[in-house]
Amino acid sequence: MSSNIPKMKCLIIDDEPLARFHLKELADQIDFLSVEGTCATALEADAIVKEKEIDLLFLDINMPYLSGLEFLEQLENPPLCILTTAYSEYALEGYRLQVVDYLLKPIAFNRFYQAVNKAQQQFIVSEKMKKNSPFDDPFLYVRQSDTFIKVSWVDILYIESMQNYTKLHFKDKFLVIHQTMKAIEESLPSEHFFRIHKSFLVNITHIDMISGGRLYINKTELPISRTRKEELLNQVVYKKLISK
């Protein structure tokens, strides 16, 4: 295993003490797993998932109060999950929730090993995407008929939608490109660009002022839609507000 890939923090959730013990024993044999805890109920697990950044759940389907599936469905950003069950008919329901695998009890080590390897492959892919995010490199190419112009997204002040075209506004120029707003928004880092209106996507580092339903960038006034204003204040302004 490549040493720069972190261990996967996992959590075991099962209402049977023996099942928890057995799963922990299996997980302890795997060098890339780190067992962060074991829980008897989904309610107990909820707190741990929120508090520690858990990468993988071993989740029993049949538990009192809140079943494993109900628990998984209510998680906002669920970790990778391997379902454990004594009943095979649940298998397909698990896949609807995009689980990595399901293990039928009693769990044999070779089957466990297969499932955690599958989970680790998915984990490695997502870790790599986090590390080599395309946004580490601030350059993009913009096509103008048969010419390709290199631009840095850092210099884009805001982007304006014009049906099938979009207009990229810079300090001293603009470029009109044949691309939808949605596609551009997806190719730009969401922590730097914020959609203030269906027609405007702004680079938050260039905002000079927000007043009422208006926002100002480089002396240009742009409208903020009512539905986006609250989120703009919460995500962008309040985090850096020094005077209440």
Side-chain angles (χ1 to χ4, degrees):
M1 184 191 78
S2 136
S3 59
N4 59 0
I5 293 160
K7 284 191 170 200
M8 297 178 75
K9 294 181 182 173
C10 57
L11 182 64
I12 295 164
I13 309 157
D14 199 306
D15 60 329
E16 297 167 35
L18 270 174
R20 292 198 297 279
F21 177 79
H22 180 53
L23 268 167
K24 186 175 182 323
E25 241 186 356
L26 294 175
D28 285 344
Q29 306 306 309
I30 312 282
D31 63 353
F32 58 79
L33 293 182
S34 152
V35 179
E36 297 295 309
T38 63
C39 306
T41 68
L43 298 169
E44 208 184 314
D46 206 28
I48 299 177
V49 169
K50 289 189 172 82
E51 180 192 326
K52 297 184 177 185
E53 288 183 5
I54 299 294
D55 303 308
L56 176 64
L57 298 175
F58 292 99
L59 181 59
D60 181 30
I61 291 177
N62 292 76
M63 289 186 293
Y65 308 116
L66 194 64
S67 80
L69 294 174
E70 287 163 347
F71 168 63
L72 195 57
E73 274 187 317
Q74 59 85 42
L75 284 177
E76 207 171 313
N77 294 310
L80 292 168
C81 180
I82 292 172
L83 289 175
T84 60
T85 175
Y87 307 96
S88 60
E89 73 268 16
Y90 280 109
L92 291 170
E93 195 173 354
Y95 281 112
R96 183 174 61 79
L97 285 163
Q98 289 185 300
V99 299
V100 175
D101 207 340
Y102 69 95
L103 295 172
L104 232 53
K105 295 174 180 177
I107 298 163
F109 181 76
N110 66 334
R111 191 60 194 85
F112 177 84
Y113 186 63
Q114 197 184 358
V116 295
N117 270 304
K118 217 194 285 186
Q120 197 208 18
Q121 282 171 2
Q122 292 188 24
F123 177 66
I124 290 170
V125 169
S126 67
E127 283 297 300
K128 278 192 175 147
M129 280 169 73
K130 274 183 215 162
K131 282 196 182 72
N132 315 330
S133 72
F135 314 132
D136 295 344
D137 177 2
F139 296 108
L140 302 164
Y141 281 90
V142 171
R143 186 179 197 138
Q144 301 276 283
S145 65
D146 58 354
T147 308
F148 297 91
I149 301 169
K150 186 179 183 183
V151 298
S152 164
W153 57 255
V154 179
D155 298 329
I156 298 172
L157 303 180
Y158 65 95
I159 296 164
E160 184 180 357
S161 163
M162 303 150 70
Q163 282 158 339
N164 294 331
Y165 291 88
T166 39
K167 195 172 185 179
L168 310 183
H169 292 263
F170 298 87
K171 261 202 165 70
D172 45 16
K173 63 174 181 191
F174 63 83
L175 291 169
V176 176
I177 60 173
H178 187 63
Q179 186 57 279
T180 64
M181 183 70 119
K182 189 175 186 298
I184 287 187
E185 191 174 2
E186 281 168 5
S187 60
L188 289 168
S190 60
E191 62 271 31
H192 293 284
F193 284 84
F194 190 91
R195 186 81 166 257
I196 57 165
H197 186 278
K198 65 178 195 301
S199 304
F200 294 102
L201 178 68
V202 302
N203 184 338
I204 62 177
T205 53
H206 293 295
I207 296 172
D208 296 319
M209 186 168 80
I210 298 167
S211 172
R214 304 268 156 198
L215 176 148
Y216 297 83
I217 290 184
N218 197 29
K219 303 190 181 64
T220 307
E221 182 184 299
L222 302 173
I224 306 169
S225 72
R226 281 218 306 275
T227 52
R228 304 296 287 148
K229 178 147 189 212
E230 189 68 20
E231 209 176 326
L232 176 71
L233 293 174
N234 285 331
Q235 281 189 20
V236 179
V237 181
Y238 294 152
K239 284 181 182 170
K240 296 191 188 307
L241 191 64
I242 52 172
S243 56
K244 295 283 177 266

